[in-house]
Amino acid sequence: MFLKIFNSIAFMKTKKRQLLLLFVVLVSSLLAGAQTQQQVTMVKGFIRDAVTKRPMPLVTVMFKDGKGVSSDENGTYSIATRNMKFTSIIFSYVGYTSVTQKIKPGVEQSIDVDLEMNSSMKEVVIKKGRGRYRNKNNPAVELIDRVIENKSKNRISAYDYVQYQEYEKIALSLANKPEKLMKNKLFRSFKFIMENVDTSTVPGKSLLPIYIEENIADKYYRKDPYAQKERVLGEKKVNYGDFLDNAGISSYIKSLYADINIYDNNIPLLQQQFLSPIADMGPAFYRYYIRDTTELDGIKLIRLYFTPKNPNDLIFRGTMFVTLDGNYSIQKIEMTISKKANVNWTRELQIKQDFEKGPDGRYHVIKSDMFTEFALVNNSSGSMYGERLVSYKDIRINQPAPDSIYKGKDLVKLFDETAPVDDSFWVSNRHTPLSNVEAKAYYNIDSLKNTKKFKTFMTVITALFTGYIVLGDYEIGNTNTFYSFNPVEGFRLRLGGRTTPKFSQRMYFDNYLAFGFRDQRFKYGLGATYSFNNKSIYSFPLHYLRVGYQYEMKIPGQELQFVQEDNFLLSFKRGKNDKWLYNRVIKADYVREFGKNITTTLGFKRIEQEPAGAITYVKPQTTDSIRNITTTEFSTELRWAPGEQFYQGKNFRIPIINKYPIFKLRYIAGVKGLFNGEYAYHNFNLYAEKRFYMSQLGFTDVTTEGGYIFGQVPFSLLTAHRANQSFGYQLNSYNMMNFLEFVSDKYYAVNFDVHFNGFFLNKVPLLRRLKLREVASAKLLWGSVRDENNPAKNPQVFKFLPETYTLDNGPYVEVSVGLANIFKLIRLDLIKRLTYLDHPDITTWGLRTRVRFEF
């Protein structure tokens, strides 16, 4: 433009030309100066996934041939430059097609972008293992090796002292298409909760919050001597009242959403062990690709994409940012699991972790967010969404806390558990505010539990899942025992129940009455329990005294866990089921549970045993049978389960098995002459169990047990080894052994139950689609009977039954192989008995099943 002006000036007269030229020069100089000071190209906008419409953080935004920035966690970005040569801007992200947009230099403008996954990345996901990928001479693998080498110094445990405040939020929501959720017959009865639906978090779906829990705690760590302490400042969770055990729900959810430490080799999630992308064995199971580099706070970062070599394995895929500052720390990581991963009931799992640079230059996690979608049926529109958000602040490194904290209890609650923490505390101390929908969920659930329709609905659900029908202060059950049958009693009817905490927080009563139509005898039981801590006798910590009187039948050696012998399903037995005892029992137990998961039990028991069925009490040199025997005994038991978690049911606890061991030591003393007791003996028993995780190979449950009985006793007081003649697979029983087949007064046993979690079948075409999981077991039992308790050597003790033996000829051994996760529920084992094959009425091969809900 100025060139045209000068050409026009050239044809003017000299004086006019000079004045006009001077004016143009002055104006152009002013404009140039203004442009030098004011011209800046600024671009702002929002980036989201083209399909899910979710915001995309960490997208690289850069001027072509220039520097760039990354979008924040909300998908927004802002980039500026004074260089007027830049006329286009590029958006790039791992696995997505880069987008280039034209820009106008020198002005502020807004550009929103939707990124689409590129076809080459889809091919990588689908055709893993077929490419020319190599670990050798691969820069990405060399980088991950550096990360692995530096893991020890990047862990939080590398410091001598660490303290921080942790905020945790756990939320569960039912999800469906909005129109289906509104038409659901169940929810139509509770219209007020339908007014609190989240329609923005997941596009195309409405989320109805059903559970939310929050915790704030100050945590302290000391390396030497080791100490890890937690001081809880506040807890808050929805409360469904007496229908559900809120503490049990919390424990179960936390077992699914365990703490995530990316620097650990294995990450426990959904009751499985996932291999970390920076595990020591990572290069053997992962593929790594360097995508690009960026810069943050003067430190260069490499964006590294990782994906499983086998999509069926318990492996992640995603993106991590690695610092190139010599520490090779993780600055940010986002990962998910493959749709083909051998995990049940899980449609989606996403993990995001943000790290912050500390004063020493290392990065530590400040936010961890895990998002999961669960569904019973893959192609259904309904599902459940779960989220666990953990954030950290006020992180102090190598600053010791007062000694009183390290010397105190591991867990201290600094609030009154009997009263809710004030709302003002949460408003002031939450690291992240709740959404309006989440905040209202507390009030809605509190209102819901008081409605008549909901109480009726929960009463039905409780009866179906727990076996108890609630009738005010009394509940009838267990419904599974109302009807059963066995060869001695024939058809058996039973009706019983117990009081609930509504009746009294101190006193609990239970009773039942049963009748056998073949033996024409009534069986019954009465019990009373006093709670010393004014809490339910079924909730932690236990502290109660229980007394009871019972007349009942029992199979020797049957110590079933979580179920009763008169359960209807256990009525079906293989082989002969004719070895029974009538027991008349008076007993008292004092139980005390301590905070370190230590439980002590002191007991008294008087038993009158009357043989029934094929059992008889006859001494070797006579033919006269003895009608019954009487024993009086005192017992004590110490149980230690460090780190134990459990789900509290209505009448039992289901342990949530983790890496920690469980130990039990029991001593029983039989007293002769006290309350007509006929035998003096001492019975010692030691039991231990532990789960050993083997990373991608699965895990192995190991149990070991030993016992010794001092004194002369009849065979019914010896250890009758746990046999199983049902068609179900029992973990702690010998599934190919008959009832009362083996007895011992000293024994040792070890069991191995191995779960490979599909490690081998995941690599077999076609079969891997079924998501089957391999299992194997081995059970070995050594034992013997001393001469004083052997009727062949001592005529003063009762003769063994014809089908009862000792283990003097070596160990009893049975092994099995099988498939688990059939239809996501069933385990099927093929069992082989390897020893004592000459015994009558035994089976050496067998198929046994077990049903279990697991991820």
Side-chain angles (χ1 to χ4, degrees):
M1 182 179 69
F2 288 116
L3 181 59
K4 293 181 179 180
I5 293 174
F6 279 112
N7 290 334
S8 300
I9 292 173
F11 293 97
M12 292 183 180
K13 294 183 180 180
T14 304
K15 189 174 182 178
K16 291 182 178 180
R17 186 170 61 243
Q18 290 175 348
L19 290 173
L20 187 56
L21 182 60
L22 177 61
F23 174 77
V24 172
V25 170
L26 289 174
V27 172
S28 61
S29 298
L30 290 172
L31 290 174
Q35 287 179 342
T36 302
Q37 294 180 359
Q38 298 177 4
Q39 276 197 330
V40 175
T41 303
M42 178 173 287
V43 187
K44 299 178 180 179
F46 177 75
I47 309 170
R48 62 182 185 177
D49 186 289
V51 177
T52 66
K53 304 303 181 184
R54 290 183 179 177
M56 295 182 61
L58 291 176
V59 175
T60 297
V61 184
M62 60 186 299
F63 295 110
K64 190 173 182 179
D65 301 325
K67 293 185 177 180
V69 297
S70 295
S71 58
D72 63 17
E73 62 181 6
N74 298 315
T76 60
Y77 73 94
S78 177
I79 187 171
T81 182
R82 295 182 183 275
N83 191 334
M84 298 298 105
K85 295 181 179 179
F86 296 142
T87 59
S88 60
I89 191 170
I90 301 173
F91 302 85
S92 62
Y93 189 76
V94 176
Y96 288 75
T97 302
S98 297
V99 173
T100 301
Q101 293 277 2
K102 293 290 185 180
I103 60 173
K104 297 178 181 180
V107 298
E108 182 175 332
Q109 54 211 283
S110 178
I111 298 178
D112 295 335
V113 174
D114 287 354
L115 295 184
E116 296 182 351
M117 180 176 285
N118 59 41
S119 58
S120 61
M121 187 53 58
K122 292 178 182 177
E123 186 177 354
V124 170
V125 174
I126 295 172
K127 298 184 178 180
K128 297 168 194 161
R130 297 184 182 179
R132 298 179 179 178
Y133 180 89
R134 296 287 186 274
N135 283 353
K136 189 176 181 180
N137 299 323
N138 186 334
V141 175
E142 293 175 4
L143 175 64
I144 209 68
D145 285 340
R146 296 286 183 89
V147 175
I148 294 172
E149 290 171 5
N150 286 272
K151 283 197 304 182
S152 59
K153 73 177 185 180
N154 285 317
R155 299 177 192 270
I156 200 74
S157 58
Y159 297 106
D160 293 327
Y161 298 92
V162 180
Q163 55 182 292
Y164 54 88
Q165 187 180 96
E166 177 185 285
Y167 167 75
E168 177 189 47
K169 181 187 73 175
I170 298 175
L172 293 176
S173 300
L174 296 179
N176 210 325
K177 294 180 179 180
E179 63 276 9
K180 289 192 175 182
L181 198 60
M182 294 298 294
K183 293 179 181 179
N184 188 287
K185 293 182 180 180
L186 173 63
F187 298 128
R188 279 190 300 180
S189 301
F190 313 111
K191 292 183 179 179
F192 66 94
I193 67 172
M194 295 305 300
E195 298 173 357
N196 189 45
V197 174
D198 180 1
T199 58
S200 60
T201 300
V202 180
K205 284 199 174 184
S206 295
L207 302 186
L208 177 64
I210 59 171
Y211 183 83
I212 184 169
E213 174 183 351
E214 297 177 275
N215 298 276
I216 295 181
D218 290 332
K219 295 195 173 183
Y220 303 85
Y221 165 80
R222 183 180 65 189
K223 181 188 291 187
D224 191 21
Y226 176 79
Q228 194 162 353
K229 308 293 180 178
E230 180 176 357
R231 297 166 69 87
V232 183
L233 306 178
E235 291 180 346
K236 187 176 184 179
K237 66 182 72 172
V238 299
N239 186 352
Y240 282 92
D242 298 330
F243 294 106
L244 297 174
D245 176 62
N246 295 288
I249 293 174
S250 178
S251 296
Y252 183 75
I253 293 175
K254 288 183 178 181
S255 73
L256 301 181
Y257 296 123
D259 289 331
I260 298 171
N261 186 345
I262 197 64
Y263 290 106
D264 286 344
N265 286 328
N266 297 289
I267 298 175
L269 292 173
L270 306 178
Q271 301 172 343
Q272 304 281 4
Q273 292 281 312
F274 289 80
L275 190 71
S276 169
I278 57 173
D280 296 344
M281 297 189 303
F285 293 90
Y286 280 97
R287 292 180 175 183
Y288 303 94
Y289 302 90
I290 293 177
R291 290 309 186 192
D292 54 26
T293 61
T294 186
E295 190 171 313
L296 180 68
D297 298 330
I299 295 179
K300 288 186 177 181
L301 304 173
I302 289 187
R303 188 204 308 263
L304 191 69
Y305 177 74
F306 51 91
T307 187
K309 291 184 176 179
N310 185 339
N312 293 81
D313 288 340
L314 299 180
I315 303 289
F316 299 103
R317 64 176 177 86
T319 304
M320 72 176 81
F321 286 75
V322 180
T323 65
L324 293 182
D325 57 354
N327 291 321
Y328 296 95
S329 306
I330 304 300
Q331 187 269 339
K332 188 178 184 73
I333 188 166
E334 296 182 6
M335 53 190 185
T336 184
I337 60 172
S338 168
K339 299 291 185 182
K340 299 179 181 179
N342 198 333
V343 181
N344 294 330
W345 325 112
T346 306
R347 285 183 182 172
E348 186 177 4
L349 186 152
Q350 295 180 0
I351 297 171
K352 298 179 181 179
Q353 287 193 316
D354 296 324
F355 294 74
E356 183 179 70
K357 186 178 180 181
D360 60 347
R362 302 180 195 173
Y363 283 79
H364 44 257
V365 64
I366 59 169
K367 185 178 179 182
S368 181
D369 196 3
M370 178 178 173
F371 181 84
T372 313
E373 182 184 9
F374 303 105
L376 292 178
V377 182
N378 284 333
N379 57 2
S380 67
S381 59
S383 61
M384 178 181 289
Y385 281 84
E387 181 187 21
R388 181 177 186 244
L389 172 67
V390 184
S391 60
Y392 310 86
K393 72 175 187 178
D394 299 334
I395 302 173
R396 300 179 185 178
I397 302 298
N398 290 334
Q399 298 180 30
D403 289 340
S404 58
I405 290 180
Y406 299 118
K407 294 179 181 178
K409 295 181 179 179
D410 291 347
L411 177 65
V412 178
K413 295 188 176 182
L414 303 179
F415 61 93
D416 184 2
E417 293 187 71
T418 62
V421 179
D422 190 77
D423 287 342
S424 60
F425 167 84
W426 293 102
V427 173
S428 303
N429 291 277
R430 280 190 185 102
H431 295 189
T432 304
L434 296 180
S435 67
N436 292 333
V437 173
E438 291 173 327
K440 198 174 180 181
Y442 283 114
Y443 171 79
N444 280 351
I445 298 301
D446 193 56
S447 301
L448 178 67
K449 71 180 182 182
N450 294 317
T451 62
K452 185 176 180 180
K453 289 183 178 180
F454 181 76
K455 289 180 179 180
T456 302
F457 171 75
M458 289 305 299
T459 298
V460 175
I461 294 298
T462 301
L464 290 175
F465 284 92
T466 69
Y468 282 85
I469 303 171
V470 180
L471 299 175
D473 297 344
Y474 187 82
E475 53 187 13
I476 299 175
N478 188 324
T479 55
N480 291 331
T481 65
F482 284 176
Y483 170 79
S484 60
F485 56 89
N486 63 70
V488 176
E489 291 181 285
F491 298 121
R492 170 188 168 110
L493 296 179
R494 167 175 164 157
L495 185 65
R498 62 189 182 185
T499 62
T500 70
K502 286 184 178 181
F503 174 80
S504 172
Q505 290 281 354
R506 289 287 186 186
M507 290 300 304
Y508 296 81
F509 299 95
D510 61 271
N511 61 287
Y512 76 89
L513 179 67
F515 182 75
F517 286 86
R518 175 172 293 177
D519 65 356
Q520 294 291 300
R521 294 195 190 189
F522 283 100
K523 291 86 181 176
Y524 46 83
L526 300 169
T529 307
Y530 179 80
S531 173
F532 290 95
N533 56 10
N534 201 31
K535 295 180 65 175
S536 169
I537 58 173
Y538 308 109
S539 62
F540 179 87
L542 304 178
H543 189 196
Y544 63 81
L545 174 66
R546 172 177 170 79
V547 295
Y549 179 79
Q550 184 184 48
Y551 178 65
E552 188 52 276
M553 298 200 71
K554 181 180 182 297
I555 300 175
Q558 279 292 91
E559 300 293 341
L560 298 175
Q561 197 173 24
F562 311 134
V563 294
Q564 295 167 287
E565 179 56 39
D566 54 359
N567 186 296
F568 173 73
L569 295 177
L570 293 180
S571 299
F572 300 93
K573 298 283 197 304
R574 61 173 177 84
K576 295 181 179 179
N577 180 26
D578 57 357
K579 300 173 181 65
W580 292 79
L581 295 171
Y582 290 107
N583 289 335
R584 193 178 302 274
V585 182
I586 301 173
K587 67 181 298 185
D589 290 304
Y590 172 75
V591 179
R592 179 73 184 272
E593 199 165 38
F594 299 92
K596 294 268 188 178
N597 294 92
I598 296 175
T599 306
T600 58
T601 303
L602 301 176
F604 166 81
K605 185 187 294 184
R606 182 184 183 274
I607 308 177
E608 291 183 13
Q609 285 187 357
E610 178 186 348
I615 296 180
T616 57
Y617 289 160
V618 179
K619 291 185 178 180
Q621 297 179 355
T622 67
T623 58
D624 297 332
S625 63
I626 296 175
R627 182 176 179 182
N628 57 52
I629 62 173
T630 301
T631 61
T632 302
E633 58 186 36
F634 295 90
S635 64
T636 180
E637 181 176 289
L638 178 66
R639 183 180 185 274
W640 181 40
E644 182 181 39
Q645 295 175 303
F646 48 81
Y647 176 76
Q648 183 70 61
K650 296 287 284 186
N651 62 335
F652 54 80
R653 284 181 180 177
I654 299 178
I656 301 171
I657 302 177
N658 52 30
K659 63 181 179 180
Y660 298 102
I662 297 176
F663 302 96
K664 287 190 289 187
L665 175 63
R666 184 178 64 209
Y667 166 67
I668 301 174
V671 182
K672 186 175 182 178
L674 180 64
F675 302 121
N676 298 321
E678 301 176 47
Y679 300 94
Y681 53 89
H682 302 276
N683 188 340
F684 294 87
N685 179 270
L686 179 63
Y687 173 90
E689 67 175 80
K690 188 182 185 319
R691 172 165 290 183
F692 295 89
Y693 289 100
M694 304 179 296
S695 189
Q696 290 299 289
L697 272 174
F699 61 87
T700 299
D701 289 329
V702 180
T703 61
T704 182
E705 183 180 8
Y708 198 102
I709 300 175
F710 296 90
Q712 180 178 303
V713 293
F715 69 86
S716 61
L717 297 182
L718 296 175
T719 299
H721 298 292
R722 289 185 296 271
N724 173 33
Q725 288 186 215
S726 74
F727 296 97
Y729 183 84
Q730 295 181 6
L731 295 176
N732 293 319
S733 299
Y734 301 98
N735 293 283
M736 291 289 100
M737 185 185 292
N738 291 336
F739 294 137
L740 210 58
E741 183 179 355
F742 292 99
V743 293
S744 302
D745 56 21
K746 54 183 176 181
Y747 73 95
Y748 171 73
V750 60
N751 297 343
F752 302 91
D753 193 41
V754 186
H755 296 247
F756 293 106
N757 282 347
F759 180 80
F760 300 104
L761 295 179
N762 286 347
K763 299 169 178 57
V764 180
L766 298 181
L767 283 180
R768 61 189 176 193
R769 295 184 180 182
L770 301 177
K771 295 187 177 182
L772 300 174
R773 301 170 185 174
E774 317 87 344
V775 291
S777 71
K779 300 180 179 183
L780 299 89
L781 170 66
W782 293 265
S784 64
V785 175
R786 300 190 309 277
D787 290 348
E788 64 178 319
N789 292 319
N790 191 338
K793 304 289 181 66
N794 183 2
Q796 299 302 314
V797 295
F798 297 149
K799 290 192 295 186
F800 287 171
L801 303 182
E803 302 90 357
T804 301
Y805 305 88
T806 66
L807 290 161
D808 292 332
N809 294 327
Y812 171 87
V813 182
E814 67 178 42
V815 296
S816 72
V817 293
L819 294 175
N821 210 42
I822 301 171
F823 306 120
K824 300 183 180 180
L825 291 171
I826 300 172
R827 168 177 172 169
L828 181 64
D829 283 77
L830 176 64
I831 309 173
K832 169 63 176 173
R833 174 169 167 163
L834 300 180
T835 56
Y836 296 97
L837 305 182
D838 56 341
H839 288 186
D841 301 321
I842 66 164
T843 54
T844 59
W845 290 91
L847 285 173
R848 300 291 178 268
T849 61
R850 178 178 172 85
V851 178
R852 182 184 172 113
F853 180 93
E854 59 185 2
F855 288 91

